[in-house]
Amino acid sequence: MEELQFVHVELKRDTWVSPKMSIRDPFDAVEVARALIEDLDREMVINIHLATDGRVINATICSLGAQNSASISPSEVLRTAIVSGAHSIIMIHNHPSGSCQPSKEDLNMAKKLATVCNLVGLELKDFIVIGAYGYRHS
């Protein structure tokens, strides 16, 4: 008879975002992320996980895509947020084209993620697209 093997989930903290910062509005979130993703030649999606008071718990790279798309899996989005004990998520991604206009796919994903987050007790606080000419949030 084989033994049952137990596992545990462990969270490893990277240091690109200071856990002492707070995000009060979309502008704060953009300022945190802009230097990391603004000038990339491909889309990158990052999630910032927040406590109930707006304090940044941590952030994670959710997807690194192609020049005009990035695949996002709701389970990947939620995994780190749940383990981190986040109250809410801000999702940010860049458009290498420079446009900050969300695509139809962006809007559909934001809607889908908001629904999935709500089901597990998280809030998708914002979905932000950064381009060379500014940002848009929903």
Side-chain angles (χ1 to χ4, degrees):
M1 182 170 173
E2 288 188 43
E3 286 185 39
L4 178 63
Q5 299 292 314
F6 288 98
V7 298
H8 72 277
V9 177
E10 197 171 330
L11 185 65
K12 179 185 177 290
R13 182 175 301 277
D14 289 325
T15 59
W16 71 269
V17 172
S18 169
K20 296 178 182 175
M21 65 183 7
S22 291
I23 293 180
R24 296 173 302 281
D25 54 40
F27 179 78
D28 289 345
V30 169
E31 288 304 302
V32 168
R34 183 180 300 266
L36 294 170
I37 67 174
E38 180 178 46
D39 295 324
L40 292 177
D41 65 347
R42 65 195 70 198
E43 288 194 14
M44 180 184 282
V45 182
I46 63 172
N47 295 323
I48 301 174
H49 305 115
L50 304 173
T52 56
D53 62 358
R55 180 181 46 83
V56 173
I57 298 171
N58 57 33
T60 186
I61 297 170
C62 179
S63 178
L64 181 58
Q67 191 175 32
N68 62 351
S69 68
S71 177
I72 303 168
S73 164
S75 64
E76 293 296 322
V77 171
L78 297 179
R79 180 180 303 154
T80 307
I82 291 169
V83 171
S84 298
H87 173 264
S88 57
I89 300 169
I90 297 175
M91 178 172 278
I92 304 175
H93 83 278
N94 65 317
H95 279 175
S97 68
S99 170
C100 59
Q101 182 68 37
S103 67
K104 180 180 176 183
E105 292 81 11
D106 292 339
L107 296 173
N108 288 339
M109 181 52 68
K111 185 176 180 178
K112 182 177 181 180
L113 285 172
T115 300
V116 171
C117 285
N118 188 47
L119 288 171
V120 297
L122 291 168
E123 176 189 2
L124 179 60
K125 193 171 186 98
D126 218 331
F127 188 93
I128 301 171
V129 178
I130 295 177
Y133 314 111
Y135 70 93
R136 293 194 82 168
H137 66 101
S138 53

